Amino acid sequence: MQATTTRPPVTATADGEGVVSHAGSRLLADVADRTTLTDQLSVVLDGLRKPRARHDPGRVLVDMAVAVADGATTISDVAVLADQPALFGAVASDSTCWRLLDRLDSARLGAVAMARAGAREVVWAQRAELTGRPFPPAHAAGRALSGLVIDLDASVVVCHSEKEHAAPTFKKSFGYHPMLAFCDNTGEFLAAVLRRGNAGSNTAADHITVLDAALTQLPDQHRHGTPILVRADTAGCTREFLAHLRGLRDEAVSCEFSVGWAVTVKERAAIAAIPAWLWADAVDADGGHRDGAGLAEITRVLPARALLGYPQGIRVIVRRERPHPGAQLDAFEEADGWRYTAFATDTTVGQLARLDARHRAHARVEDRIRCAKDTGLDHFPSRSFAINQAWLTVVMLAVDLIAWTQHLLLSDNLVKAEPKTLRYRLLHVAARLTRGQRRLWLRIQRTWPWARDVAAAFARLAALSVPAG
């Protein structure tokens, strides 16, 4: 019988030397060092270090974040680093990691947040030195948006075992319902609050807490000197949250909002009063004409009581669109064949089409959450709620390390690659460690398609400027 395989025969032995896997993940560990994140965490967690302890708590937290960014879903997966001391140095055991997470109470988690903010300031300064801009612009409808954009959203994380404060969710599942905040410009995971599974979606207090924590993560000169747009779905359209957001202007934080607005009986009556000629054309994600979609502002048509308690200057804009096949419509929508959605904003200028496209770009937060769930957010490792809160902080560190690596060290398609792609192309690459010229060399297989990208990233890393002291 003629063989049909094209694979060359191999013989496996266990006598190799100097070969390491996950070599690209060393970039993440070094980014933590070069951006001062490791040092700042070591300072704020120094009180947790016992006399003659082998491992520094700040370094342990960074190693956990690197492992999670590398794909770890449990604390024991830190072994992917610990099993390769030649590449990653001395890494704490999973029991040491457990003990650290157990000791991270609310006060220490607040200190970790301060360290994250300090490192973020360094990262933005490093990027400004490299590119001339501290952060890239966010985009909508093919145009760059001015300033910073913060997206808020909540997401259900299913738990498959009994955990403290896990509860039935509105999706008929069981788990947690954390509130999350991302920077749309950079993809950074700014802040989060772990909540019970039955926590309400439109809880103003949780929105306020997460927004304030997210703003604290921004460097001072940008928090107070840059326009900031806060986006949320209809859960963020509460009087208390929008009043708090408007009140930030008294603290020299230039905030505007764009939040979903529920379409109820009052809105339907206002829509019915809008003449046909008043509907403006909508645009698609690239800024081109969107067939079968229109926009109209109904602020002046709504009854005064509908806007009572909302910030002065709020505008309510309705979008109508032909429903896709199979869409479920209510009786009002069935009558005229349009599907209606609405949003509210306090931006006073701009075409309705641009404001609508800017708000619809909030959908990108779903991709941020999906990537975060691929980076540890979809699995909380402990029965203890406190340890799971600490794990959420590790996830935020991991997402930020990936974002910082992309913005500071990578180019072309790797800048926007999702975690799964980044791990395959960069983080999980194998290499050979050799010594020579008083240096440790990481030699990547020359035929690997992204070998030059990995080498270039390490070269850019070595050239990063680090603040004195």
Side-chain angles (χ1 to χ4, degrees):
M1 181 179 294
Q2 185 176 358
T4 58
T5 180
T6 58
R7 299 184 184 92
V10 299
T11 301
T13 66
D15 55 358
E17 292 184 0
V19 179
V20 294
S21 63
H22 298 256
S25 293
R26 173 61 190 265
L27 278 171
L28 302 175
D30 288 351
V31 163
D33 295 344
R34 301 287 292 184
T35 60
T36 73
L37 176 64
T38 306
D39 287 342
Q40 298 208 49
L41 288 174
S42 297
V43 170
V44 300
L45 297 179
D46 185 62
L48 295 179
R49 187 168 190 174
K50 296 181 179 179
R52 297 185 300 277
R54 181 183 179 189
H55 297 287
D56 174 77
R59 167 70 186 278
V60 173
L61 201 59
V62 166
D63 285 341
M64 278 193 285
V66 171
V68 170
D70 184 76
T73 57
T74 63
I75 295 175
S76 60
D77 287 343
V78 74
V80 75
L81 310 185
D83 290 342
Q84 301 187 96
L87 181 63
F88 293 103
V91 176
S93 64
D94 57 342
S95 58
T96 300
C97 295
W98 273 104
R99 286 193 295 270
L100 175 61
L101 293 180
D102 189 37
R103 299 178 68 188
L104 292 178
D105 55 17
S106 297
R108 291 190 174 105
L109 288 178
V112 170
M114 291 177 58
R116 290 178 57 228
R120 196 180 319 279
E121 185 173 6
V122 173
V123 171
W124 288 25
Q126 288 171 329
R127 190 184 189 279
E129 186 174 301
L130 292 173
T131 66
R133 302 188 64 169
F135 53 84
H139 289 84
R143 294 187 181 183
L145 302 178
S146 62
L148 289 162
V149 179
I150 296 177
D151 285 315
L152 304 181
D153 201 5
S155 181
V156 169
V157 177
V158 175
C159 295
H160 298 285
S161 62
E162 194 71 33
K163 299 182 186 295
E164 186 181 6
H165 296 331
T169 72
F170 72 97
K171 290 189 174 182
K172 311 301 181 183
S173 57
F174 179 83
Y176 293 124
H177 192 196
M179 179 70 66
L180 318 168
F182 292 85
C183 178
D184 188 47
N185 303 71
T186 61
E188 292 168 298
F189 198 163
L190 297 179
V193 171
L194 188 61
R195 308 186 301 166
R196 296 173 178 268
N198 56 3
S201 296
N202 58 346
T203 306
D206 293 337
H207 280 79
I208 292 171
T209 299
V210 173
L211 175 61
D212 288 349
L215 291 172
T216 304
Q217 285 296 309
L218 303 180
D220 284 348
Q221 66 269 32
H222 300 293
R223 183 168 67 252
H224 296 293
T226 304
I228 299 173
L229 174 68
V230 177
R231 294 188 300 210
D233 55 18
T234 53
C237 190
T238 59
R239 293 172 175 82
E240 296 84 355
F241 175 60
L242 297 185
H244 174 78
L245 200 152
R246 175 62 63 84
L248 291 172
R249 296 181 182 180
D250 297 334
E251 303 173 16
V253 179
S254 179
C255 273
E256 293 183 348
F257 61 80
S258 182
V259 297
W261 183 279
V263 178
T264 65
V265 175
K266 298 186 294 294
E267 287 73 25
R268 290 167 185 162
I271 291 170
I274 297 292
W277 58 267
L278 197 60
W279 290 91
D281 291 337
V283 296
D284 58 22
D286 296 323
H289 175 71
R290 173 83 173 187
D291 292 331
L295 300 161
E297 183 173 350
I298 61 171
T299 312
R300 296 177 182 270
V301 189
L302 285 171
R305 66 180 183 278
L307 302 177
L308 188 65
Y310 285 101
Q312 188 176 6
I314 190 172
R315 304 170 65 188
V316 180
I317 299 169
V318 172
R319 176 189 177 94
R320 69 177 185 183
E321 194 166 16
R322 292 300 182 188
H324 58 78
Q328 294 182 349
L329 306 180
D330 58 31
F332 180 78
E333 293 170 330
E334 286 279 6
D336 61 4
W338 294 99
R339 187 170 192 174
Y340 295 98
T341 56
F343 69 97
T345 182
D346 60 346
T347 301
T348 58
V349 297
Q351 296 176 330
L352 296 185
R354 299 298 170 186
L355 296 177
D356 172 65
R358 186 187 70 171
H359 177 72
R360 288 172 65 83
H362 171 66
R364 280 196 292 265
V365 75
E366 299 294 340
D367 290 330
R368 311 285 188 204
I369 294 173
R370 177 172 50 80
C371 290
K373 287 186 175 182
D374 192 29
T375 314
L377 183 61
D378 65 338
H379 178 82
F380 287 96
S382 176
R383 291 180 178 270
S384 165
F385 187 77
I387 291 180
N388 289 334
Q389 281 184 312
W391 175 263
L392 182 55
T393 295
V394 173
V395 172
M396 290 191 283
L397 287 167
V399 173
D400 282 354
L401 284 177
I402 290 176
W404 296 348
T405 300
Q406 290 178 304
H407 287 292
L408 294 176
L409 307 182
L410 303 182
S411 59
D412 301 328
N413 293 333
L414 290 176
V415 175
K416 295 184 178 180
E418 294 192 355
K420 182 178 179 180
T421 300
L422 203 63
R423 289 172 192 137
Y424 170 70
R425 297 182 179 181
L426 189 78
L427 302 184
H428 292 178
V429 66
R432 182 177 294 278
L433 276 176
T434 63
R435 294 184 181 275
Q437 304 173 14
R438 299 182 180 180
R439 300 165 71 180
L440 188 65
W441 297 82
L442 193 63
R443 301 192 180 278
I444 302 157
Q445 175 63 30
R446 67 167 61 91
T447 58
W448 183 246
W450 299 277
R452 293 184 181 274
D453 295 293
V454 179
F458 275 100
R460 294 189 185 104
L461 177 70
L464 273 183
S465 58
V466 180

